[in-house]
Amino acid sequence: MRCDIRCDIFCAVVDNFGDIGVCWRLARQLAAEHGYAVRLWVDELASFARLCPQIDPAAPLQNVAGVDVRRWDRAFAAGVTPADVVVEAFACELPECYVAAMAARPSRPVWVNLEYLSAEAWVDGCHAMASPHPRLPLVKHFFFPGFGPDSGGLLRERNLLARRDAFIADAHAREPFWRRAGFEPPPADALVVSLFGYRNPALGELLRAFADGDRPIVCALSDGPLLRAAGASFDHPDPRPGEQLTRGSLQLRAMPFVAQDRYDELLWASDLNFVRGEDSFVRAQWAARPLVWQIYPQAGDAHWAKLEAFRARYCEGLAPAAAQALSGLWRAWNRGDGVGSAWPAVVPSLPVLAAHAEAWCAVLAAQADLASRLAEFCANRLQ
Ligand code: TRH
């Protein structure tokens, strides 16, 4: 499917993987599902290559998965013709010459600033708000991802839930997943936990709580600073991906950082997912398994309001004991203290939380996804 709509997405990688993780997903989806001709401008290709190994970090121009990927250099070429739809991700500033060229186009592009995800109530009111340019004949619109029908929605590929269900239904699919990561499939009686997070002083406490529990736990800890910190708890400095450390009921697996599509498989292969930031947090909701969210910390503790807004929304309709236990663990993990008592309180509620995660996912899946809402928004405005 190919339509005539050309789209430029601009992504500045601030830190971590979330900025490019979201932009890459959106770019692929607009190309594959809406027929857009997408150019993705990225200022840093090294992080991108970790999510998508087909990316050559040294190539200024490449085509991957139907997306034209361009390195966004400081010296941005003045001759670039602006597309019909321009997505500025997370308020990254567009090159001045590009904005001038947008204003000079006979039909002005639809200009969208893709914002960060939040469950706060004000999002619905601010979604799609217009902001006229102070000097040029251009209007920028704010596109707010969110959880309700009046927001910009959540990224979800058309076949995602079918792929998930096929993976979960097929035990033979899970086995190669673990073997490729360097491990045996987890024992059938173990609780499988994936763990992806920011540096956290509570890590040692969490691992001790896992080790002290009655049920065997296989914890797949993704490569990164948290993995290195875990080594200290085991007197095993610098564990390498593929290594396995054991203490009490806990088998800690040092997971390699896998490509973005395979990260979904890790979430699907786990009974509980510790996730962070924005994109892994959304993917854990599509995995329909209980989750523990470590929010991206902001200056002045601004992130707590966001965490509480999502927590309140997510816990609606959840049995009070399970809601209280889950809230306790989320707050303790984000505070970096108190997980030693919060974890055992959650364990008895895991079956209730699993059923709730499925119901939550089904409610979200009944709504249109972000790329479809964006495509509709643009179709209504393109002249
Ligand atoms: O990397 P993050 O912390 O990104 C953050 C957030 O997006 C935050 O909102 C933003 O302000 C900040 O960056 C700058 O977490 P996030 O959003 O979950 O992105 C991680 C991406 O990495 C996601 O696309 C999943 C992917 N991933 C893999 O592809 N393979 C892996 O093995 C793992 C662990 C993650």
Side-chain angles (χ1 to χ4, degrees):
M1 185 213 358
R2 188 87 193 173
C3 68
D4 294 336
I5 299 173
R6 292 178 308 114
C7 174
D8 277 331
I9 301 177
F10 287 86
C11 175
V13 176
V14 177
D15 61 1
N16 303 322
F17 301 100
D19 303 301
I20 183 58
V22 167
C23 291
W24 176 228
R25 240 179 241 303
L26 177 64
R28 272 183 301 174
Q29 224 187 316
L30 286 175
E33 298 179 14
H34 298 277
Y36 278 30
V38 182
R39 271 190 308 206
L40 173 58
W41 300 88
V42 187
D43 68 348
E44 201 256 276
L45 294 174
S47 310
F48 193 177
R50 294 201 68 201
L51 300 180
C52 174
Q54 295 98 303
I55 289 290
D56 174 356
L61 198 158
Q62 52 201 308
N63 193 288
V64 179
V67 175
D68 181 359
V69 177
R70 307 281 176 110
R71 198 174 57 213
W72 178 9
D73 295 319
R74 270 173 192 279
F76 186 82
V80 175
T81 308
D84 310 301
V85 170
V86 178
V87 178
E88 169 188 314
F90 313 120
C92 68
E93 216 173 303
L94 298 187
E96 239 172 74
C97 59
Y98 185 89
V99 176
M102 283 164 71
R105 261 182 60 135
S107 55
R108 312 270 186 260
V110 180
W111 182 6
V112 163
N113 181 42
L114 177 66
E115 294 285 344
Y116 286 115
L117 171 64
S118 173
E120 289 164 296
W122 55 262
V123 161
D124 290 352
C126 294
H127 172 60
M129 248 167 46
S131 163
H133 193 279
R135 287 177 295 104
L136 299 169
L138 288 170
V139 178
K140 175 154 69 175
H141 290 90
F142 295 98
F143 201 92
F144 280 93
F147 297 89
D150 296 326
S151 72
L154 299 171
L155 282 167
R156 184 185 78 241
E157 296 81 9
R158 203 172 275 163
N159 63 359
L160 176 68
L161 302 190
R163 281 200 297 120
R164 177 201 66 190
D165 292 344
F167 181 88
I168 289 170
D170 181 4
H172 297 297
R174 287 197 295 282
E175 202 179 302
F177 168 80
W178 288 111
R179 292 200 195 283
R180 274 177 76 184
F183 303 103
E184 292 289 311
D189 61 338
L191 181 77
V192 182
V193 179
S194 83
L195 180 45
F196 176 46
Y198 303 114
R199 248 176 252 280
N200 193 327
L203 177 68
E205 203 183 340
L206 180 71
L207 298 179
R208 266 194 303 281
F210 285 171
D212 292 345
D214 298 329
R215 183 168 174 193
I217 294 187
V218 169
C219 175
L221 174 52
S222 292
D223 192 15
L226 212 47
L227 175 61
R228 284 182 279 286
S233 308
F234 281 83
D235 282 332
H236 184 101
D238 208 12
R240 296 279 144 192
E243 280 193 79
Q244 192 165 289
L245 307 171
T246 305
R247 187 207 292 155
S249 299
L250 171 64
Q251 199 183 83
L252 185 76
R253 295 181 169 187
M255 274 300 285
F257 195 93
V258 295
Q260 211 182 32
D261 289 340
R262 289 192 51 232
Y263 180 64
D264 278 324
E265 295 183 356
L266 174 61
L267 299 174
W268 303 338
S270 302
D271 302 303
L272 168 69
N273 294 302
F274 280 69
V275 287
R276 73 184 203 189
E278 177 162 329
D279 193 52
S280 58
F281 165 56
V282 172
R283 303 311 276 185
Q285 292 170 66
W286 296 133
R289 297 283 162 86
L291 70 132
V292 180
W293 181 31
Q294 188 180 18
I295 191 167
Y296 185 75
Q298 283 176 284
D301 280 348
H303 55 286
W304 278 100
K306 282 188 184 179
L307 180 79
E308 288 299 326
F310 179 76
R311 193 199 55 74
R313 210 182 253 256
Y314 186 78
C315 288
E316 266 172 37
L318 183 56
Q324 202 187 344
L326 185 71
S327 302
L329 181 58
W330 282 24
R331 288 176 180 142
W333 185 237
N334 280 280
R335 210 172 43 232
D337 169 44
V339 291
S341 53
W343 169 249
V346 160
V347 173
S349 293
L350 283 174
V352 175
L353 291 170
H356 182 71
E358 284 186 22
W360 172 259
C361 175
V363 169
L364 293 182
Q367 299 182 34
D369 65 281
L370 188 148
S372 300
R373 292 189 207 196
L374 181 64
E376 191 186 347
F377 179 88
C378 295
N380 293 337
R381 281 163 185 80
L382 284 168
Q383 296 144 10

